[in-house]
Amino acid sequence: MHVLRDTHSPRWTLRALAMLSAAIMFLIPWAGDAKAHGSIVDPASRNYGCWDRWGHDHLNPAMAQQDPMCWQAWQDNPNAMWNWNGLYRNNVGGDHRGQVPDGQLCSGGRTEGGRYNSLDAVGPWKTTDVGDDFTVHLYDQASHGADYFQVYVTKQGFDPATEALGWGDLELVEQTGSYAPAQNISIDVSTSGRSGHHVVYTIWQASHMDQVYYLCSDVNFG
């Protein structure tokens, strides 16, 4: 028997809107979390860089040769890129080394159910050219502010293309104080004695709650 629906009733209207919203979220997977948080955009964090370079063309098989580390990341979980600004852990209590084991630093200790595990992969990640003195730029769409930032750089002799990143491979080069809520925050960093491919590891302790972002950016010291 065919049942006529009253398409003007509030219940039917709400149901239709819910179905439409679900369809939009399926077609545009970055429409959820991607507006909520932030990341280091220069030098680009690994997943932000992959989104920036390939988000418009992420199914292109040429990526496998041109940008193999991004290719493996897109194949592992595209949502690591669509949600490029959602790589955080809650309720860390300042125990960064206890919460994030060696070999899992770039995924924030396999946070968010393992969404970002591909960022721990060892290999020739694309780099941003920097000098001894450079600036780390955070884009925080939600304007969380910061209790502090800790910026580390890998020690000379560590090779991100062949070695998994551990805490012992890092040197703290900048410890900041607090920052008021803003969408754009810049942190000046000074280093010396480095050349070649390194990882800049930024810990951002957000101010709105105990929420910590763990962000790997690959750089090349000229």
Side-chain angles (χ1 to χ4, degrees), residues 25-37:
M25 288 295 292
F26 177 77
L27 292 172
I28 310 177
W30 62 92
D33 290 350
K35 293 185 178 180
H37 305 292

Side-chain angles (χ1 to χ4, degrees), residues 188-200:
D188 292 330
V189 175
S190 294
T191 68
S192 63
R194 288 176 172 80
S195 61
H197 184 181
H198 284 264
V199 176
V200 176

Side-chain angles (χ1 to χ4, degrees), residues 97-198:
R97 298 191 183 215
Q99 293 284 324
V100 181
D102 286 346
Q104 300 178 19
L105 273 65
C106 296
S107 68
R110 298 179 179 172
T111 191
E112 293 295 299
R115 176 191 291 167
Y116 301 99
N117 288 2
S118 62
L119 305 185
D120 291 320
V122 175
W125 289 90
K126 293 283 188 181
T127 60
T128 299
D129 290 337
V130 298
D132 287 344
D133 301 325
F134 62 96
T135 299
V136 174
H137 178 201
L138 172 79
Y139 178 66
D140 173 18
Q141 188 166 354
S143 298
H144 289 319
D147 289 347
Y148 61 82
F149 291 91
Q150 294 176 349
V151 182
Y152 297 80
V153 181
T154 49
K155 300 172 182 176
Q156 188 65 26
F158 175 78
D159 184 1
T162 61
E163 302 174 75
L165 183 63
W167 289 103
D169 302 311
L170 297 171
E171 178 185 355
L172 180 65
V173 296
E174 185 63 36
Q175 166 82 54
T176 79
S178 62
Y179 285 79
Q183 288 194 336
N184 293 281
I185 295 175
S186 295
I187 305 154
D188 292 330
V189 175
S190 294
T191 68
S192 63
R194 288 176 172 80
S195 61
H197 184 181
H198 284 264

